[in-house]
């Protein structure tokens, strides 16, 4: 195989197709509402399927509705190189979260078709079911079942607010395939995604070479104090669960900032995103507060350190405020490194194309983080305006989309043609 030169994806066609899919579930504010397993999702899937078939791809879907569009390679004994992302969105989502990876993958397939290039390994473009988790409360469910990390029966029994199960919703849009959602022999997976954070834009960098995903630990906490009268209970007699919770929130924030809080690329995340106050009455000192705590860090050692020190410090705060703290770890995942060879193909593609790039870890969860547990995986990030995502104003430029898709093209072709 001669060195690949002048094989360029069509940036205008890529952009036009991104704008076209964005109309399916398009909102007046310019965003997208294409919630998983709805009629809108179905329309998106149908048009995606027709685009795939127009360039000769064989489209199939498994029992979780994950779609695979296959292009045969020269060597039938080789396992396919997978690439893709997700076409579902948040209720007030943007045009590019997920769609960029799928439509850029389609553009790769179209370019190969136009240039009559057959790769050694087959290629499969993937649209994973329900990455967002917005309807059934479980994110990345399609890739999670496929990778064997989630049980299909459990996931299919999950209900939305109207009591509709995942299984019923899949059947109702006609995307419950007969092939089990389970890993088949696959060579690797590449996912292009918007960064959903501010680093690339702030550093005026075109491409993020993603080396892995962060470690995470989540807690559910209950602070127990004592309900009492706002007008009669003196300071010394108060057991204020909300004040205690506020001080624990400060601790979460301070813990996050320990590794630096001046540079945009400083690691460490710590968030309290949910708070229930009981009895939640204006003139009662709250006797109970329930809250969630979410810590993330690229370093497993740092998460281990937080797991050791945070509970002790939080309990000390509760005790000092006359309250009791129950802290339950509900979720913990180690950092998930991506495959060094696949990451290196992304690095080589960036160098060959002359793009500016930085290595980074993914702050968010992605389908690729699931596949990385069983097959060689890598991700490519492109900048997004103001780091904004899960928002109707999410925005990228045509040039940014084109650069990301071109890197995806190079990495996939190199991987599919590598000598075994
Ligand atoms: Zn996404």
């Amino acid at each position: 195989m001669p060195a690949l030169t002048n094989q360029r994806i069509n940036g205008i066609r890529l952009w036009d197709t991104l704008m076209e899919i964005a109309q399916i579930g398009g909102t007046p504010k310019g965003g997208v509402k294409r919630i998983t397993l709805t009629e809108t999702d179905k329309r998106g899937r149908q048009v995606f399927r027709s685009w795939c078939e127009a360039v000769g791809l064989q489209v199939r879907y498994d029992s979780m509705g994950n779609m695979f569009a296959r292009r045969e390679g020269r060597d039938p004994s080789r396992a396919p190189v997978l690439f893709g992302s997700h076409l579902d969105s948040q209720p007030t989502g943007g045009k590019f979260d997920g769609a960029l990876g799928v439509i850029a993958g389609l553009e790769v397939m179209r370019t190969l078709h136009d240039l009559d290039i057959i790769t050694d390994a087959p290629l499969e473009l993937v649209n994973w079911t329900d990455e967002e988790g917005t309807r059934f409360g479980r994110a990345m469910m399609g890739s999670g079942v496929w990778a064997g990390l989630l049980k299909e029966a459990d996931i299919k029994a999950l209900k939305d607010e109207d009591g509709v199960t995942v299984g019923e919703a899949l059947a109702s849009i006609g995307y419950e395939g007969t092939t089990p959602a389970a890993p088949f022999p696959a060579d690797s997976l590449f996912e292009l995604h918007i960064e959903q954070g501010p680093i690339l834009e702030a550093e005026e960098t075109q491409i993020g070479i993603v080396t892995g995903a962060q470690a995470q630990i989540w807690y559910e906490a209950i602070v127990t104090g004592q309900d009492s009268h706002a007008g009669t209970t003196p300071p010394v007699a108060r057991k204020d669960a909300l004040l205690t919770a506020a001080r624990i929130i400060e601790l979460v924030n301070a813990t996050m900032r320990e590794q630096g809080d001046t540079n945009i690329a400083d690691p460490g995340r710590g968030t309290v995103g949910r708070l229930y106050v009981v009895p939640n009455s204006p003139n009662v000192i709250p006797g109970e507060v329930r809250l969630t705590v979410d810590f993330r860090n690229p370093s497993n050692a740092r998460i281990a350190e937080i797991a050791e020190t945070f509970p002790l410090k939080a309990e000390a705060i509760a005790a000092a405020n006359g309250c009791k703290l129950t802290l339950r770890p509900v979720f913990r995942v180690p950092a998930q490194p991506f495959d060094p060879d696949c990451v290196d193909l992304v690095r080589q593609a960036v160098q060959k194309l002359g793009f500016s790039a930085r290595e980074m870890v993914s702050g968010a969860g992605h389908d690729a983080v699931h596949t990385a547990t069983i097959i060689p995986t890598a991700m490519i990030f492109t900048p997004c305006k103001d780091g904004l995502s899960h928002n109707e104003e999410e925005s990228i430029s045509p040039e940014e989309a084109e650069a990301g898709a071109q890197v995806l093209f190079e990495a996939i072709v190199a991987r599919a043609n590598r000598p075994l």
Side-chain angles (χ1 to χ4, degrees):
M1 185 94 202
L4 299 172
T5 47
N6 297 324
Q7 293 174 344
R8 285 288 183 267
I9 61 115
N10 183 334
I12 294 168
R13 178 172 59 188
L14 168 65
W15 190 256
D16 287 348
T17 310
L18 280 166
M19 293 305 109
E20 206 173 330
I21 193 91
Q23 286 175 12
I24 300 175
T27 63
K29 284 186 185 165
V32 169
K33 180 183 181 181
R34 201 163 48 232
I35 292 176
T36 191
L37 306 183
T38 57
E39 281 303 308
T40 314
D41 181 21
K42 179 181 180 177
R43 275 169 45 221
R45 287 166 178 262
Q46 305 292 59
V47 69
F48 168 64
R49 181 181 184 153
S50 69
W51 289 335
C52 289
E53 287 172 348
V55 286
L57 306 180
Q58 288 287 336
V59 181
R60 66 181 197 279
Y61 46 91
D62 65 20
S63 55
M64 279 299 300
N66 297 315
M67 298 175 74
F68 302 88
R70 182 177 172 99
R71 188 172 198 270
E72 294 301 337
R74 198 176 289 110
D75 181 350
S77 72
R78 285 178 73 149
V81 174
L82 311 183
F83 48 100
S85 193
H86 60 95
L87 285 176
D88 70 312
S89 82
Q90 290 285 327
T92 53
K95 297 188 196 77
F96 305 101
D97 175 2
L100 175 65
V102 176
I103 301 304
L106 175 68
E107 179 52 38
V108 169
M109 294 292 204
R110 286 172 165 174
T111 301
L112 293 169
H113 181 78
D114 289 351
L115 300 176
D116 228 352
I117 297 168
I118 307 290
T119 50
D120 288 342
L123 304 178
E124 293 195 3
L125 169 57
V126 194
N127 170 30
W128 298 109
T129 293
D130 194 354
E131 194 276 344
E132 297 290 358
T134 181
R135 179 171 174 194
F136 300 99
R138 189 66 181 81
M140 300 173 282
M141 64 163 66
S143 58
V145 172
W146 186 82
L149 302 168
L150 303 173
K151 274 217 189 86
E152 179 164 350
D154 296 350
I155 293 297
K156 284 210 165 141
L158 292 177
K159 290 179 179 166
D160 69 7
E161 279 183 354
D162 300 323
V164 178
T165 66
V166 169
E168 288 162 355
L170 265 168
S172 79
I173 68 159
Y175 270 93
E176 187 171 28
T178 49
T179 313
F184 46 80
D187 173 86
S188 52
L189 179 132
F190 292 83
E191 181 171 0
L192 169 68
H193 205 281
I194 58 169
E195 181 197 350
Q196 301 180 287
I199 298 172
L200 293 174
E201 183 188 49
E203 296 184 348
E204 295 180 16
T205 300
Q206 289 164 290
I207 298 290
I209 301 165
V210 189
T211 56
Q214 300 193 98
Q216 304 184 34
I217 186 163
W218 299 359
Y219 296 93
E220 276 172 13
I222 304 173
V223 182
T224 311
Q226 190 174 48
D227 303 351
S228 58
H229 197 294
T232 58
T233 315
V236 67
R238 288 178 178 233
K239 295 176 180 174
D240 186 334
L242 182 55
L243 178 68
T244 305
R247 289 176 174 161
I248 291 171
I249 295 169
E250 285 280 17
L251 170 65
V252 170
N253 190 263
T255 304
M256 168 181 81
R257 290 170 189 274
E258 271 166 18
Q259 289 177 293
D261 62 358
T262 52
N263 189 305
I264 199 151
D266 284 332
R269 306 286 183 265
T271 305
V272 174
R274 178 178 282 174
L275 202 66
Y276 293 108
V277 180
V278 182
N280 210 22
S281 165
N283 44 23
V284 179
I285 297 163
E288 182 179 296
V289 171
R290 278 170 278 151
L291 64 153
T292 56
V293 180
D294 171 333
F295 285 113
R296 305 186 192 204
N297 202 284
S299 153
N300 285 325
R302 175 63 184 157
I303 289 294
E305 193 180 309
I306 290 171
E308 224 170 87
T309 58
F310 171 73
L312 299 175
K313 290 181 186 171
E315 275 158 24
I317 289 173
N321 290 277
C323 292
K324 197 174 111 298
L325 175 70
T326 315
L327 196 62
R328 200 163 62 92
V330 287
F331 179 70
R332 184 168 180 177
V333 285
Q336 176 64 60
F338 287 152
D339 179 72
D341 291 342
C342 290
V343 173
D344 202 46
L345 287 177
V346 174
R347 206 178 278 123
Q348 286 171 27
V350 163
Q351 278 164 8
K352 175 182 163 184
L353 296 164
F355 292 138
S356 56
R358 69 133 50 225
E359 313 234 335
M360 60 200 303
V361 291
S362 173
H366 290 289
D367 294 310
V369 180
H370 278 163
T371 67
T373 62
I374 55 165
I375 55 170
T377 295
M379 286 192 80
I380 304 157
F381 278 172
T382 57
C384 55
K385 191 165 184 299
D386 301 328
L388 203 61
S389 182
H390 287 187
N391 187 306
E392 289 169 276
E393 282 167 37
E394 180 187 277
S395 165
I396 68 173
S397 72
E399 294 73 28
E400 287 163 344
E402 182 175 351
Q406 190 67 45
V407 172
L408 182 70
F409 177 94
E410 302 285 343
I412 288 164
V413 172
R415 180 75 184 182
N417 287 337
R418 82 191 196 284
L420 289 184

